[in-house]
């Protein structure tokens, strides 16, 4: 079944027409981005620019190319009133639109991987526009308000994984027909896992509950957990979340002494991924709070995030709770 056929069958209710238009254009954008990434150095798409984004990160050539592809495609949907992007400081207003929706996106996630030919992705989420000329405040909605979230993974295959709040489905790009086909219906994250993903080089900066959890994992059969753990770190959240959706695991970018609010951005990284993970039966927390319930303070706000297999996430949240009670 193609993604278009799937959406025709499954999108229902007041949002069906608008979301079909938006997702159709997301699909077009993702195909173009996949081509730009595939061509890599041949098309001169590698390397960095002189510019920095709002986070003070040096922009890669592909950060800007993919942002432009996404904006242009979504302007065409006619359903979007405004957009925010990791690569653009202010909200993008869609002047002549009667659009009912807002789009939040990270056009190229894990962009430090581009030059070394490792997986990258795109993350997006759709909110209802309460105003046809949306201002910054209109975007500041909690993650529970998202009506669609998804990511594209440009890995060994190009995939699009989506939720509309009714489970999670994954589609793979058939390069012969140039169509996404349903290959991963109703994705479910196993409740238990023995695999974690965290940037271990930050160990000395972490707070005690995270150090405690990782210490236990490292002790394996010789410690409290009485089982050995495995570790992965791709440095691309999309690739890590996809692995967790396929075989379980835990992904953490927690608060630490260097960055109290963690590294990842709430509106276009943490919220969409938390929606997808919860829809697949997993959990997502800052340590202290369910990510989806945070009231955003800014469109580029960062947030600590710990997500994945439900029983591990509950355990880690429990460690944070014990720490809080002791204070
Ligand atoms: P982006 O490329 O959009 O800035 O995001 C990269 C993020 C995330 O995808 C990944 O998990 C993390 O940064 C990697 O961080 P380290 O540099 O600490 O490995
Ligand atoms: Mn990112
Ligand atoms: Mn990015």
């Amino acid at each position: 079944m193609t993604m278009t056929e799937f959406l025709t069958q499954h999108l229902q209710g007041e949002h069906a027409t608008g979301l079909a238009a938006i997702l159709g254009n997301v699909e077009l954008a993702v195909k173009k981005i996949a081509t730009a990434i595939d061509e890599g150095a041949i098309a001169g798409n590698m390397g960095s620019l002189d510019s920095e984004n709002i986070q003070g990160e040096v922009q890669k050539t592909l950060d800007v190319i993919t942002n432009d592809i996404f904006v242009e495609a979504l302007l065409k949907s006619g359903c979007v009133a405004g957009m925010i992007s990791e690569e653009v400081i202010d909200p993008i207003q869609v002047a002549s639109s009667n659009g009912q929706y807002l789009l939040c996106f990270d056009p190229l996630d894990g962009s430090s991987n581009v030059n070394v030919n490792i997986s990258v992705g795109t993350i997006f989420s759709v909110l209802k526009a309460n105003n046809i000329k949306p201002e910054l405040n209109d975007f500041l909605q909690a993650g529970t308000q998202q009506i669609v979230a998804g990511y594209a993974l440009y890995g060994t295959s190009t995939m699009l994984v989506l939720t509309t709040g009714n489970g999670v489905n994954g589609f793979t790009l058939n390069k012969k027909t140039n169509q996404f086909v349903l290959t991963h219906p109703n994705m479910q994250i196993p409740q238990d896992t023995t695999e974690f993903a965290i940037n271990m080089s930050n160990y000395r900066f972490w707070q005690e509950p995270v150090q405690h959890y990782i210490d236990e994992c490292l002790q394996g059969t010789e410690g409290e957990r009485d089982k050995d753990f495995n570790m992965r770190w791709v440095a691309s959240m999309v690739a890590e979340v996809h692995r967790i959706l396929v075989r379980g695991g835990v992904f953490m970018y927690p608060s630490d002494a260097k960055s109290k609010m963690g590294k990842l951005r709430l509106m276009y990284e943490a919220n969409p991924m938390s929606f997808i993970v919860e829809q697949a039966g997993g959990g997502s927390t800052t340590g202290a709070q369910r990510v989806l319930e945070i009231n955003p303070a800014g469109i580029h706000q960062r947030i600590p995030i710990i997500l994945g297999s439900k029983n591990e996430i509950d355990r880690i949240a429990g460690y944070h709770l014990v720490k809080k009670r002791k204070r």
Side-chain angles (χ1 to χ4, degrees):
M1 187 189 292
T2 66
M3 186 171 136
T4 315
E5 288 163 350
F6 178 89
L7 292 174
T8 308
Q9 277 183 23
H10 287 82
L11 288 177
Q12 281 165 2
E14 52 165 336
H15 299 303
T17 313
L19 294 186
I22 289 174
L23 290 172
N25 284 280
V26 166
E27 197 182 329
L28 290 176
V30 164
K31 287 175 188 169
K32 280 192 185 171
I33 293 174
T35 304
I37 291 168
D38 263 1
E39 287 174 345
I42 299 169
N45 286 345
M46 312 297 271
S48 301
L49 301 171
D50 290 334
S51 52
E52 285 186 355
N53 66 13
I54 176 72
Q55 351 273 341
E57 296 161 348
V58 174
Q59 288 181 306
K60 299 266 186 291
T61 311
L62 269 172
D63 281 323
V64 174
I65 293 173
T66 55
N67 182 71
D68 293 349
I69 291 173
F70 216 84
V71 171
E72 195 197 332
L74 271 298
L75 283 177
K76 286 191 186 139
S77 76
C79 294
V80 175
M83 303 181 225
I84 55 172
S85 162
E86 179 184 322
E87 302 305 330
V88 184
I89 296 173
D90 297 314
I92 305 162
Q93 271 197 3
V94 182
S96 58
S97 166
N98 287 319
Q100 307 283 303
Y101 301 96
L102 302 176
L103 212 95
C104 310
F105 64 95
D106 173 358
L108 190 63
D109 177 63
S111 58
S112 71
N113 283 337
V114 161
N115 289 2
V116 288
N117 205 347
I118 295 176
S119 298
V120 288
T122 298
I123 310 172
F124 69 94
S125 121
V126 180
L127 296 163
K128 186 97 182 66
N130 298 317
N131 189 346
I132 53 164
K133 295 247 173 301
E135 305 286 341
L136 193 143
N137 280 338
D138 294 303
F139 287 89
L140 302 181
Q141 304 179 33
T144 47
Q145 301 301 307
Q146 296 170 105
I147 38 190
V148 175
Y151 63 77
L153 172 61
Y154 314 101
T156 46
S157 313
T158 293
M159 287 194 67
L160 245 172
V161 174
L162 293 178
T163 184
T164 56
N166 189 19
V168 178
N169 292 284
F171 304 84
T172 304
L173 182 61
N174 179 338
K175 288 197 176 166
K176 289 189 194 126
T177 60
N178 201 32
Q179 281 184 320
F180 278 98
V181 288
L182 181 65
T183 47
H184 294 59
N186 193 22
M187 298 177 87
Q188 293 284 330
I189 299 175
Q191 303 278 294
D192 293 298
T193 184
T194 50
E195 194 162 67
F196 66 89
I198 192 164
N199 185 338
M200 280 294 293
S201 69
N202 291 325
Y203 182 95
R204 73 184 192 280
F205 302 111
W206 298 335
Q207 294 173 346
E208 197 269 329
V210 171
Q211 285 182 336
H212 177 69
Y213 175 74
I214 296 296
D215 285 346
E216 279 190 352
C217 294
L218 298 178
Q219 284 153 12
T221 51
E222 291 167 26
E224 180 73 18
R225 300 302 303 272
D226 201 20
K227 53 185 182 182
D228 288 331
F229 280 74
N230 188 21
M231 196 200 87
R232 289 287 184 274
W233 188 249
V234 188
S236 166
M237 187 196 203
V238 170
E240 321 270 11
V241 168
H242 189 70
R243 185 185 62 247
I244 289 170
L245 280 164
V246 171
R247 68 180 191 205
V250 170
F251 168 83
M252 307 200 229
Y253 220 115
S255 159
D256 67 33
K258 279 189 301 182
S259 39
K260 287 267 177 295
M261 294 307 286
K263 177 177 183 189
L264 299 177
R265 280 57 55 113
L266 176 60
M267 300 294 301
Y268 40 78
E269 291 177 321
N271 269 344
M273 290 313 208
S274 299
F275 188 21
I276 293 167
V277 164
E278 285 197 4
Q279 283 293 316
S284 180
T285 176
T286 63
Q289 188 184 5
R290 183 180 170 219
V291 169
L292 291 180
E293 287 175 359
I294 294 166
N295 289 317
I299 58 173
H300 297 291
Q301 175 186 349
R302 295 176 194 266
I303 203 76
I305 187 162
I306 299 166
L307 61 74
S309 293
K310 187 76 176 62
N311 290 339
E312 292 299 295
I313 301 308
D314 290 348
R315 172 182 282 265
I316 301 165
Y319 290 172
H320 284 79
L321 205 63
V322 170
K323 174 87 193 301
K324 202 168 146 196
R325 285 209 198 102
K326 276 191 198 153
R327 257 188 245 136

